[in-house]
Amino acid sequence: MANNLRFQVVEEAFKKKAVDVKVPKERPSEYFGKYVFNKEKMYKYLPKAIYDKMVDVMDNGARLDRSIADAVAAGMKQWALEMGVTHYTHWFQPLTEGTAEKHDAFVEHDGKGGMIEKFSGKLLVQQEPDASSFPNGGIRNTFEARGYSAWDPTSPVFIIDDTLCIPTIFIAYTGEALDYKAPLLRALHAVGKAAKDVCQYFYNDVTKVQVNLGWEQEYFLVDEGLYSARPDLLMTGRTLMGHESAKNQQMDDHYFGTIPDRVQAFMKDLEIQALELAIPVKTRHNEVAPNQFELAPIFEECNLAVDHNMLLMSLMKKVARKHGFRVLLHEKPFDGINGSGKHNNWSLSADNGALLHAPGKTPEENLRFMVFIVETLMAVYKHNGLLKASIMSATNAHRLGGNEAPPAIISSFLGTQLTELLNHIEESDKNELFNLKGKQGMEIDIPQIPDLIVDNTDRNRTSPFAFTGNRFEFRAPGSSVNCASAMIALNAAMAEALTSFKERVDAKIAKGEGKIPAILEVLKDDVKTCKPIRFDGNGYSEEWVVEAAKRGLDVEKSCPVIFEHYLDDSTIKMFESTKVMNKKELEARNEVKWETYVKTVQIEARVLGDLAMNHIIPVSTHYQSQLIKNVQGMKDIFSSALFNTEKATKLSARNIKLIEEIAERTEKIEQLVEDLTEARRVANRIEDIHQRAIQYHDTVCPHMEAIRKEIDKLELIVEDGLWTLPKYRELLFIR
């Protein structure tokens, strides 16, 4: 029978046991960074003078002196060879949401007919990938293939298997960035400088401001056999059809529940390997949806955190297969249950120990706190459309606003205390400093339980950009994306806001105003300006959509249209003034975004059409034929008079109704698939990639949704034993 494979795969999935994991005898702190050329390794393998220069580059942003590259490369090679490494690669992040690498061996001719292990500073610092083979938005043509990868010394080199991986930027021969790392580094430099300049109003000892990022990675695990039996999962990362299971997440019993043994073994294995690569993983737990989980690290410097997240996504796919799983990083792999995001916990800290988004102990420190809070709100308000564009994709569009993720409207939650303080600043006629309440105690009428310490803000899970005590949590990025995209936009916008703030304060001081009154006056203006971005209510409500539009916030839902914000005049001005990206780079990235959107939907449409015509309709008509034979058999067995009895008539009528419904739905599917194919043909004839993407959104996607609706109804009708594709109840509840 056609169903044998499905039942066999399900049965095998139920039988699988947890894989034994070899746990190191050392403590995690002792094997942390085992495969990373960190400062400890540098101190051991580099000459003291070279080590000092490298530390200056890493810690203080000093320019790398290429003259020391050979010495650094020699030390790296010695360490790598001792670790069993045979190859090296420049590891970079093109505009594919993944990473890229080309492996070369440590071998050269020795001039005597043999080979020697060789690795020079030239090979460490720079290589030449084919720039036209990666998404580039027209910056590089096929006949103009030259591009450069260049070593980023601020992100430590690491070992994967037998290969030394060197984090690099990736730029075109003509200088434009073709990756995420180059503009991210520029954005971090811009906001660091702007924040340091503003800090000088409050501290004399600040010489550097660092951007911190702590990402939270959500993901699904699916048994590998079931994954392989679903062509849509295999080809697109999500289920293009499937009726919801009778039980899914409605009992709220999976969130923070006991981690299944197989999953626990996977998590343990993943954490060990992550720690060996110096990824500081800390938290693991069940998420809300069945078979959904989360991993989160301790926060790190933003550039390193981005590298670690990209490395972890690659690592978790590899480890999952060892445990008989496939990791699903798609934002919405299953309809009807929660999707996955990648919450970005973002903050700024100064080298004197000050957390710039945290309250202080003195009125002046609290003024510093309010300045950085308000200027963050200014950045988010002025560029709320851009921030939405930075996290939007064909895949994340399925998740945002689905009553489980933040809505597709960027706003910021502050909590009662901060909201009241901002209102006080706005309404006050005096330029006065203020005190903030710290965490308060809460008494509980249970003698054995100590008093709880209550934060100065609640949490709002519907807020895309929420203040959480000493940082902001950007909840909207999708689980599959490079979180550098959001960080580039946010940090560049913050750099612009802080620069504008300082220019206006300095102008008032130059006119004779005191420093504090000048700061308070500009702060008050900005509190009024950015007020529309503040929203502490239910972001899922329809009322908020109407209210947000009245406030002038971007409420657009079409993914290709949202991308247009990258080419807004205000966006171009902001990126160029902060020297993060120029107009040509922005135009190229938008072309890549539109093209990626089209290709994503195109692949999904082709897979759905194939499954509908070659799986769903044949199975449905086969069942229909069985029903027809059943009705005919009843007529043959019973006499005409007997067949017309009430019981026989009811049985026959039920089958005839099913036969008619199957015929109606399969006919609809056939017509919809034909319409879907024609819609793609029409869209593909549009030369302008922007307009083609809009056409795909407006005409192709609706046909796909209509086809899915009909298929999901058939899944409930057709006999379970005939259905060829694993169902949600099997995909989501296998342990």
Side-chain angles (χ1 to χ4, degrees):
M1 291 178 63
N3 65 302
N4 283 349
L5 177 60
R6 172 185 152 217
F7 286 164
Q8 180 183 342
V9 169
V10 172
E11 184 179 5
E12 289 176 354
F14 271 116
K15 289 180 179 178
K16 288 181 179 177
K17 304 295 183 182
V19 174
D20 289 333
V21 177
K22 185 178 180 181
V23 180
K25 295 180 180 179
E26 307 96 328
R27 297 176 181 176
S29 59
E30 294 173 325
Y31 62 80
F32 180 78
K34 176 180 179 180
Y35 295 113
V36 178
F37 195 67
N38 52 24
K39 290 180 182 177
E40 179 186 359
K41 313 286 194 330
M42 290 181 189
Y43 188 80
K44 179 179 179 181
Y45 288 92
L46 300 181
K48 180 64 167 58
I50 303 299
Y51 169 80
D52 290 340
K53 288 184 178 180
M54 280 298 300
V55 170
D56 192 29
V57 171
M58 297 172 68
D59 291 351
N60 304 318
R63 182 174 293 277
L64 177 68
D65 184 353
R66 288 188 67 135
S67 66
I68 70 171
D70 281 333
V72 175
M76 281 184 184
K77 185 191 74 172
Q78 182 183 349
W79 170 69
L81 292 177
E82 291 176 7
M83 297 293 290
V85 168
T86 58
H87 291 68
Y88 64 92
T89 183
H90 274 201
W91 182 82
F92 57 97
Q93 300 166 27
L95 303 178
T96 59
E97 305 303 332
T99 58
E101 53 197 65
K102 174 178 71 75
H103 298 195
D104 289 304
F106 285 133
V107 291
E108 296 288 347
H109 288 293
D110 66 356
K112 303 175 184 177
M115 305 293 289
I116 59 172
E117 286 77 20
K118 188 175 181 180
F119 181 57
S120 66
K122 179 180 179 181
L123 296 176
L124 166 65
V125 171
Q126 181 176 320
Q127 284 195 349
E128 185 183 321
D130 186 342
S132 66
S133 297
F134 291 98
N136 59 71
I139 287 179
R140 297 272 79 191
N141 295 305
T142 303
F143 61 89
E144 297 174 323
R146 196 182 297 275
Y148 297 117
S149 56
W151 176 35
D152 170 19
T154 64
S155 186
V157 169
F158 57 92
I159 294 172
I160 296 291
D161 296 326
D162 64 351
T163 304
L164 184 70
C165 300
I166 304 161
T168 64
I169 64 170
F170 180 41
I171 61 173
Y173 176 73
T174 46
E176 296 87 2
L178 298 176
D179 69 341
Y180 284 107
K181 181 182 277 284
L184 176 64
L185 289 173
R186 295 173 190 158
L188 297 178
H189 174 74
V191 74
K193 181 181 183 304
K196 182 192 71 173
D197 291 345
V198 171
C199 278
Q200 298 301 319
Y201 290 137
F202 308 100
Y203 308 105
N204 295 322
D205 56 345
V206 171
T207 60
K208 176 184 176 183
V209 171
Q210 173 177 289
V211 180
N212 305 307
L213 172 62
W215 41 263
E216 302 169 22
Q217 180 70 59
E218 295 176 343
Y219 61 95
F220 283 85
L221 288 176
V222 175
D223 185 84
E224 189 166 29
L226 295 169
Y227 172 90
S228 300
R230 289 287 306 228
D232 48 354
L233 276 178
L234 192 66
M235 300 293 289
T236 72
R238 75 178 179 110
T239 54
L240 300 174
M241 63 194 72
H243 198 281
E244 66 178 22
S245 172
K247 179 183 184 298
N248 48 53
Q249 67 185 45
Q250 69 265 49
M251 299 300 292
D252 299 323
D253 56 348
H254 191 258
Y255 188 54
F256 279 22
T258 303
I259 300 172
D261 289 344
R262 282 182 66 196
V263 177
Q264 180 91 345
F266 157 77
M267 289 179 169
K268 185 187 301 182
D269 201 354
L270 176 63
E271 288 177 358
I272 291 169
Q273 295 190 45
L275 290 169
E276 289 177 335
L277 289 166
I279 305 174
V281 292
K282 182 178 180 65
T283 302
R284 65 189 185 200
H285 62 81
N286 288 4
E287 255 300 332
V288 172
N291 278 14
Q292 186 188 33
F293 308 94
E294 181 179 297
L295 178 152
I298 303 169
F299 74 88
E300 300 179 277
E301 185 277 324
C302 185
N303 176 47
L304 183 58
V306 169
D307 282 0
H308 279 166
N309 182 245
M310 297 304 294
L311 178 56
L312 180 94
M313 288 196 293
S314 176
L315 183 64
M316 67 196 310
K317 293 175 184 177
K318 176 182 174 182
V319 176
R321 297 198 65 176
K322 174 183 171 183
H323 291 262
F325 288 119
R326 286 298 186 112
V327 168
L328 302 183
L329 293 176
H330 192 290
E331 283 74 11
K332 192 77 169 178
F334 303 103
D335 192 39
I337 63 173
N338 280 17
S340 297
K342 192 188 331 250
H343 304 168
N344 283 201
N345 293 280
W346 170 87
S347 65
L348 301 175
S349 60
D351 58 356
N352 69 346
L355 299 177
L356 302 185
H357 285 107
K361 297 181 179 180
T362 66
E364 190 161 300
E365 279 198 321
N366 285 330
L367 177 60
R368 176 268 303 158
F369 165 64
M370 292 308 302
V371 165
F372 279 91
I373 291 292
V374 172
E375 294 315 306
T376 300
L377 295 177
M378 283 289 289
V380 176
Y381 171 62
K382 288 187 66 177
H383 298 286
N384 70 95
L386 170 65
L387 288 174
K388 184 161 73 172
S390 76
I391 55 85
M392 186 54 72
S393 66
T395 55
N396 203 21
H398 293 288
R399 164 181 167 261
L400 294 181
N403 283 345
E404 72 200 56
I409 302 170
I410 301 298
S411 65
S412 185
F413 166 83
L414 297 179
T416 303
Q417 184 179 352
L418 272 187
T419 297
E420 290 177 351
L421 180 55
L422 289 181
N423 290 339
H424 172 73
I425 293 173
E426 179 185 357
E427 297 165 3
S428 175
D429 293 330
K430 301 177 182 179
N431 286 333
E432 56 185 1
L433 294 178
F434 36 78
N435 288 310
L436 293 169
K437 295 179 181 179
K439 294 184 178 182
Q440 306 296 311
M442 175 191 290
E443 293 185 7
I444 299 179
D445 293 330
I446 305 175
Q448 299 88 342
I449 304 297
D451 292 348
L452 296 182
I453 303 300
V454 181
D455 290 284
N456 52 21
T457 69
D458 198 349
R459 296 186 67 187
N460 187 330
R461 66 189 301 271
T462 73
S463 177
F465 196 83
F467 181 67
T468 57
N470 59 8
R471 64 191 182 278
F472 282 90
E473 184 180 17
F474 195 8
R475 296 173 55 86
S479 56
S480 67
V481 301
N482 188 328
C483 49
S485 179
M487 291 296 99
I488 291 167
L490 176 59
N491 286 298
M494 184 64 173
E496 180 194 56
L498 290 171
T499 299
S500 171
F501 175 83
K502 187 172 190 305
E503 288 173 351
R504 287 176 288 145
V505 170
D506 286 351
K508 291 182 180 299
I509 294 175
K511 292 180 180 179
E513 290 192 39
K515 181 181 70 173
I516 297 300
I519 291 173
L520 284 166
E521 192 173 338
V522 174
L523 185 66
K524 181 183 294 187
D525 289 341
D526 287 351
V527 168
K528 295 177 182 178
T529 300
C530 69
K531 191 172 184 178
I533 204 68
R534 291 158 42 196
F535 179 65
D536 288 1
N538 181 9
Y540 296 158
S541 68
E542 290 298 324
E543 292 80 6
W544 168 233
V545 178
V546 176
E547 172 64 22
K550 289 181 180 179
R551 295 186 184 191
L553 304 183
D554 186 273
V555 297
E556 179 62 57
K557 294 183 178 180
S558 170
C559 187
V561 175
I562 292 169
F563 289 151
E564 295 173 6
H565 284 294
Y566 270 97
L567 299 180
D568 289 345
D569 290 342
S570 59
T571 298
I572 295 171
K573 180 181 177 182
M574 180 268 288
F575 276 124
E576 290 189 336
S577 67
T578 55
K579 299 181 180 179
V580 174
M581 283 188 283
N582 58 38
K583 185 177 181 180
K584 184 177 181 181
E585 289 173 313
L586 291 169
E587 290 173 339
R589 281 162 194 270
N590 247 33
E591 185 167 332
V592 171
K593 287 179 178 291
W594 284 319
E595 187 174 345
T596 300
Y597 180 87
V598 167
K599 289 178 178 178
T600 300
V601 178
Q602 185 180 69
I603 291 170
E604 289 185 348
R606 293 174 66 181
V607 171
L608 179 59
D610 173 57
L611 286 175
M613 300 303 294
N614 296 309
H615 282 255
I616 305 305
I617 289 182
V619 168
S620 301
T621 53
H622 178 61
Y623 180 54
Q624 184 185 48
S625 298
Q626 288 186 351
L627 293 173
I628 293 172
K629 288 180 181 179
N630 182 271
V631 172
Q632 186 62 50
M634 291 176 67
K635 290 182 178 180
D636 293 341
I637 292 173
F638 299 108
S639 65
S640 179
L642 191 60
F643 184 76
N644 288 325
T645 62
E646 182 179 350
K647 183 176 181 181
T649 301
K650 285 183 177 180
L651 290 172
S652 179
R654 177 182 178 276
N655 285 348
I656 291 172
K657 183 179 179 181
L658 288 174
I659 291 167
E660 291 174 345
E661 184 173 356
I662 291 171
E664 180 183 338
R665 294 194 183 281
T666 54
E667 184 180 355
K668 280 186 179 179
I669 290 172
E670 289 175 341
Q671 183 60 53
L672 285 167
V673 170
E674 187 176 324
D675 294 343
L676 175 67
T677 304
E678 180 59 25
R680 287 195 351 252
R681 289 197 189 102
V682 172
N684 290 338
R685 287 195 287 267
I686 300 174
E687 291 189 9
D688 182 82
I689 189 62
H690 179 198
Q691 294 304 318
R692 193 189 314 159
I694 292 174
Q695 185 78 0
Y696 260 86
H697 175 273
D698 293 348
T699 64
V700 175
C701 290
H703 285 309
M704 292 175 62
E705 293 171 6
I707 292 170
R708 175 175 192 144
K709 180 180 178 181
E710 298 300 327
I711 292 175
D712 290 356
K713 292 292 185 182
L714 282 174
E715 183 181 319
L716 292 179
I717 296 171
V718 174
E719 180 191 342
D720 184 59
L722 296 176
W723 201 258
T724 57
L725 303 175
K727 298 183 177 182
Y728 273 21
R729 67 170 183 259
E730 297 155 352
L731 291 165
L732 292 170
F733 295 99
I734 299 296
R735 294 291 184 262

